[in-house]
Amino acid sequence: MKKYLGPLSKENPILVQVLGVCSALAVTAQLKPAVVMALSVTVVCALSNLIISLLRNTIPSRVRIMVQLLVVSSLVIAVDQFLQAYVFEISRMLSVFVGLIITNCIIMGRLEAFALSHPPVPSFIDGLMNGLGYGLVLVVVGTIRELLGSGTLWGCQVVPQAFYEAGYMNNGLMILPPMALIIVGVLIWILNAKQNKVK
Amino acid sequence: MSGLGELFVRSALIDNMVFAYFLGMCSYLAVSKNVKTALGLGIAVCFVLTVTVPVNYLIDKYLLQAGALSWMSVSLAGVDLSFLSLIIFIAVIAAMVQLLEMVIEKFSPALYQALGIFLPLIAVNCAILGGSLFMQERHFPTVAHSFSYAVGSGVGWLLAIVAFAAIRERLRYSDIPKGLQGNGIAYIITGLLGLAFMAFLGF
């Protein structure tokens, strides 16, 4: 069991392996789209790992990238249609980034590194855990940015009005895209510092 | 034919792929250890963007959009295939990259040597697919606009990765806190570069 928990901290795809940063950080200005994005990636990652692992003995290795891309993009289309049908607002907010899940390096990376050489059930769990590890970072960054940037969480006001009257101001910088990168940099710093202490 | 120049500058500097949308970050962080390889990858991305975005524009306009098939026959005017765009775009990109690789290998072995390793990687670079998806979302009026947008974005990406690689080369001689070495500082530098680029917005 322990080996599957790695992606949540020690082998976190974003913080340690630097995978899948591409489409992720732009959606973390608020918590809600970040959570939806995290769930979408987890679903796609787990299911594509499962499917590729089931097919792993029939795919010729020369065309495997193409097959992987087709499986992943079909899943992403399904997720995209689902989001448009049930949470249209958020799907508008995420705009092109749902589509960009296709080229998310975590998914391709796990397919290449794990699903092609392991049976279906472990592959499914591996995909799930990597998706969750990715989601965890997204949610942490989303929480920090929304709390400090707009004083809200999940769209509800958290910072009390009395604070504003006492002169507290939202940090507008947090809403800007570059802050996501700086927050992730600091998270990496914290993680590294913690691990060095454990050693 | 107005606004092509503005579109170019806008997509290269203000809506920079890396700093405003974080597209292509994986390869941006992985292949920026020195300026020379960064330049190679940057040129390859530029090249592939310039080819794939206009092609996808034409496909989107004449095959996929709602009512796009009306030029074939009136009865097809109600067809909306836009849900297929993701799968078609990625297929076009993968095919184009393959094709480009063959063409370059045939006509310019020197360029092939220089770009060789990067070209196959590009099919799964988010900047390329992102370019096509943004093109679709922004509804450019003509193919020339989509071309200008593609060149602009490519140049912006090239600029970003070369600047970042140059900073990283200098970074080797600086004294960074232990836990921050490697990826940590790379993210923070990208963030700071991004803040600098925000200046083009007029902040």
Side-chain angles (χ1 to χ4, degrees), chain A residues 27 32-48 72 75-84 87 90-91 94 97-102 104 107 127-128 131-132 134-135 138:
Chain A
V27 301
K32 217 187 251 176
V35 170
V36 172
M37 184 73 185
L39 288 178
S40 318
V41 170
T42 310
V43 168
V44 173
C45 196
L47 289 182
S48 62
V72 174
L75 285 169
V76 170
I77 290 179
V79 168
D80 189 27
Q81 297 290 319
F82 180 85
L83 292 182
Q84 278 181 22
V87 279
I90 295 177
S91 136
L94 290 174
F97 292 100
V98 177
L100 285 172
I101 296 176
I102 297 175
N104 193 316
I107 293 173
L128 197 68
L132 288 177
Y134 164 93
L138 241 66

Side-chain angles (χ1 to χ4, degrees), chain B residues 31-105:
Chain B
V31 196
S32 54
K33 296 277 178 346
N34 68 62
V35 174
K36 213 173 151 215
T37 44
L39 195 66
L41 181 71
I43 292 172
V45 165
C46 232
F47 207 56
V48 176
L49 260 180
T50 316
V51 177
T52 54
V53 171
V55 169
N56 278 337
Y57 177 83
L58 291 175
I59 290 179
D60 186 47
K61 189 157 188 189
Y62 292 108
L63 291 177
L64 298 176
Q65 266 174 22
L69 288 171
S70 56
W71 58 270
M72 261 190 227
S73 84
V74 183
S75 58
L76 289 175
V79 180
D80 180 3
L81 293 178
S82 51
F83 69 95
L84 281 178
S85 54
L86 285 178
I87 206 163
I88 302 258
F89 284 175
I90 196 78
V92 166
I93 289 168
M96 275 318 213
V97 169
Q98 199 65 249
L99 200 70
L100 267 178
E101 209 179 329
M102 287 192 277
V103 170
I104 294 176
E105 192 179 9

Side-chain angles (χ1 to χ4, degrees), chain A residues 25-103:
Chain A
L25 297 175
V27 301
T28 52
Q30 284 171 354
L31 190 55
K32 217 187 251 176
V35 170
V36 172
M37 184 73 185
L39 288 178
S40 318
V41 170
T42 310
V43 168
V44 173
C45 196
L47 289 182
S48 62
N49 254 10
L50 179 68
I51 294 173
I52 291 293
S53 162
L54 286 171
L55 294 173
R56 73 184 187 283
N57 294 324
T58 45
I59 303 174
S61 71
R62 283 182 59 105
V63 294
R64 66 175 197 284
I65 301 273
M66 204 62 216
V67 174
Q68 288 166 5
L69 277 178
L70 285 179
V71 169
V72 174
S73 43
S74 316
L75 285 169
V76 170
I77 290 179
V79 168
D80 189 27
Q81 297 290 319
F82 180 85
L83 292 182
Q84 278 181 22
Y86 290 99
V87 279
F88 187 68
E89 288 280 294
I90 295 177
S91 136
R92 289 305 290 273
M93 258 179 182
L94 290 174
S95 70
V96 303
F97 292 100
V98 177
L100 285 172
I101 296 176
I102 297 175
T103 49

Side-chain angles (χ1 to χ4, degrees), chain A residues 146-147 150-161 163-164:
Chain A
E146 189 174 350
L147 187 63
S150 349
T152 57
L153 270 185
W154 202 262
C156 308
Q157 193 68 35
V158 172
V159 177
Q161 195 58 38
F163 277 36
Y164 289 103

